[in-house]
Amino acid sequence: DALYSLNLCTELLVEVRHSVMSTLSAVKLDDLPVVVKFILHAITAADAVEVITELRKNLELESCVLPSQMQASQDKRKQKSVMGASVNQENSGHDCVAIMFNVIKAAVRFQKATAEAWIKAIEIADSAAEHKVIDLLVLLILHTTSTSNGKKQVEKLLRSKIRLGHVGDQLLQVAFRSHALVVREYFPSVLYLAQILLRSPDGSMVSFGSQMYKHTFMTFDSYCQQEVVGALVTHVCSGF
């Protein structure tokens, strides 16, 4: 909170932001939302792509998997009280990640330069190894918050990444398995993207759309399951 409240000149702000960015991987999960908020605030059109590219590079969501999650399968002999504390810690961690994505959502909604910079940063990643689960999650956020033209831009970028093999089922699995709370918030966009991909003549699009339906049905609540079934019935009845 102190970082976000700093009143600095532009030069000092950039210097502090670079310093914070370099230590991002060491930031405690509870502090991550406010640190990301500080990095994203006061972004200008001139430095937006540079800042977002560096943020995307340093923000490792994979490291947000809590020790309690990784050890659960190995530590079944813990007392019930300890297990209860572990569950509370895990829920707290998921909440922190969800809050961080709400910070990103607010930034792309109200700062056009930030939204465009995220698109550019994802666009210039030119291999599957360079892509992270944050790319997929941010695309869902952008699709939800954008105008009609912005949605089409996101859809075009996603199609391109699928076609090139840069974004595949592995990222999709990680998104649904580790960040279901975030993905659930953007369910309408998930369903819409699955629908348009399933209608594509390109086999890679159809496969990805099918996996989106499968993971959605297996991960989310009965409302989402009913929506998935309804969408698939409509798809079949429409002759695709």
Side-chain angles (χ1 to χ4, degrees):
D1 290 334
L3 275 176
Y4 187 69
S5 300
L6 288 175
N7 187 15
L8 303 173
C9 66
T10 303
E11 291 78 10
L12 280 176
L13 181 62
V14 170
E15 186 177 337
V16 172
R17 189 166 60 199
H18 278 304
S19 178
V20 170
M21 195 90 77
S22 66
T23 61
L24 195 60
S25 60
V27 172
K28 291 195 299 183
L29 196 56
D30 289 350
D31 297 329
L32 196 58
V34 73
V35 172
V36 171
K37 186 175 183 180
F38 167 73
I39 292 171
L40 292 176
H41 110 283
I43 281 182
T44 66
D47 65 6
V49 174
E50 178 186 355
V51 172
I52 295 301
T53 300
E54 191 175 358
L55 175 61
R56 178 187 167 277
K57 177 182 177 182
N58 289 286
L59 193 57
E60 295 289 351
L61 290 187
E62 289 77 7
S63 67
C64 292
V65 177
L66 300 174
S68 62
Q69 290 173 277
M70 294 186 292
Q71 295 174 3
S73 62
Q74 304 171 2
D75 218 356
K76 294 180 181 179
R77 296 179 181 177
K78 287 185 177 181
Q79 296 178 358
K80 289 183 179 180
S81 59
V82 177
M83 289 299 291
S86 178
V87 170
N88 289 336
Q89 182 189 18
E90 183 174 332
N91 289 339
S92 174
H94 286 310
D95 288 345
C96 290
V97 174
I99 292 169
M100 183 200 70
F101 276 104
N102 282 335
V103 168
I104 294 175
K105 179 182 177 181
V108 300
R109 172 175 283 173
F110 299 113
Q111 299 170 293
K112 183 180 179 182
T114 302
E116 292 175 346
W118 274 110
I119 289 285
K120 185 65 177 176
I122 295 171
E123 192 175 52
I124 60 180
D126 60 0
S127 70
E130 288 187 46
H131 281 284
K132 305 178 178 184
V133 68
I134 191 173
D135 296 335
L136 195 53
L137 297 174
V138 169
L139 285 176
L140 290 177
I141 293 173
L142 289 168
H143 192 269
T144 298
T145 58
S146 296
T147 61
S148 178
N149 287 338
K151 290 181 191 299
K152 290 178 181 177
Q153 186 179 15
V154 171
E155 292 160 18
K156 180 180 179 181
L157 178 57
L158 180 59
R159 285 192 186 99
S160 174
K161 292 298 180 179
I162 295 169
R163 188 180 299 111
L164 292 169
H166 294 173
V167 173
D169 186 49
Q170 184 176 358
L171 277 185
L172 205 56
Q173 287 185 46
V174 175
F176 277 89
R177 183 179 65 244
S178 301
H179 306 289
L181 186 64
V182 177
V183 180
R184 176 62 180 84
E185 185 173 347
Y186 305 102
F187 171 69
S189 283
V190 172
L191 191 63
Y192 179 81
L193 290 169
Q195 289 172 335
I196 64 172
L197 291 172
L198 202 62
R199 296 181 188 136
S200 172
D202 188 317
S204 61
M205 309 293 171
V206 173
S207 176
F208 194 88
S210 300
Q211 292 300 317
M212 289 183 79
Y213 275 127
K214 184 187 84 171
H215 292 305
T216 299
F217 188 87
M218 294 177 64
T219 306
F220 296 150
D221 51 61
S222 59
Y223 167 77
C224 295
Q225 291 173 341
Q226 290 172 7
E227 291 294 306
V228 167
V229 171
L232 289 173
V233 169
T234 301
H235 177 81
V236 172
C237 293
S238 63
F240 282 98

